[in-house]
């Protein structure tokens, strides 16, 4: 978020991190904490979707929080396909995506 903040964009955070960068307003620990009406131009969802049990529900919620011409930038790891040993990450990653499954997640939830 640092480049957005450095370019004078208002930045908000939903994360378990209790120490956001100065000038970034924390809206909650998870998406269910956010009760505001603000719609966003850009939502960055970096290395989150692989941890969420209701991934489709979350993607729908994120879509609802975007302005009509808003965009979402989402990123997930692909280590599992290159040989990540499950004993190194036994619990935290509960979703594993291929390029097609990642794309289909967003298409199935109303994204273009």
């Amino acid at each position: 978020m640092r480049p957005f903040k450095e370019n004078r964009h208002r930045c908000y955070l939903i994360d378990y991190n209790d120490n956001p960068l100065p000038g970034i307003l924390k809206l909650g620990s998870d998406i269910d904490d956010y009760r505001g009406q603000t719609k966003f131009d850009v939502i960055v969802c970096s290395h989150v979707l692989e941890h969420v049990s209701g991934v489709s529900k979350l993607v729908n919620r994120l879509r609802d929080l975007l302005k009509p011409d808003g965009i979402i930038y989402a990123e997930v790891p692909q280590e599992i396909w290159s040989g990540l040993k499950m004993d190194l990450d036994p619990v935290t990653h509960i979703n594993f995506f291929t390029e097609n499954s990642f794309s289909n997640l967003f298409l199935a939830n109303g994204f273009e």
Side-chain angles (χ1 to χ4, degrees):
M1 294 182 69
R2 189 171 282 124
F4 291 106
K5 190 66 188 152
E6 288 171 356
N7 283 290
R8 299 185 181 148
H9 295 285
R10 287 180 302 219
C11 296
Y12 306 93
L13 179 69
I14 295 178
D15 194 290
Y16 292 106
N17 178 347
D18 287 326
N19 299 304
L21 294 171
I24 296 175
L25 178 63
K26 181 175 176 176
L27 300 177
S29 292
D30 69 36
I31 197 73
D32 293 329
D33 291 341
Y34 181 65
R35 303 275 187 237
Q37 301 299 314
T38 301
K39 300 283 185 166
F40 300 94
D41 296 306
V42 176
I43 294 176
V44 176
C45 190
S46 181
H47 294 269
V48 172
L49 301 176
E50 66 272 17
H51 302 281
V52 178
S53 61
V55 69
S56 189
K57 178 182 173 188
L58 174 60
V59 169
N60 257 308
R61 178 79 168 108
L62 295 175
R63 188 196 67 231
D64 292 342
L65 292 173
L66 283 174
K67 289 182 179 178
D69 290 330
I71 62 168
I72 185 166
Y73 173 83
E75 187 175 292
V76 295
Q78 291 186 325
E79 293 98 354
I80 191 69
W81 308 115
S82 63
L84 175 70
K85 294 182 179 178
M86 290 305 291
D87 60 338
L88 297 177
D89 189 20
V91 177
T92 63
H93 288 181
I94 59 174
N95 298 304
F96 299 95
F97 298 94
T98 63
E99 186 176 334
N100 284 340
S101 67
F102 189 67
S103 176
N104 287 336
L105 171 65
F106 286 89
L107 291 171
N109 286 287
F111 284 88
E112 297 177 6

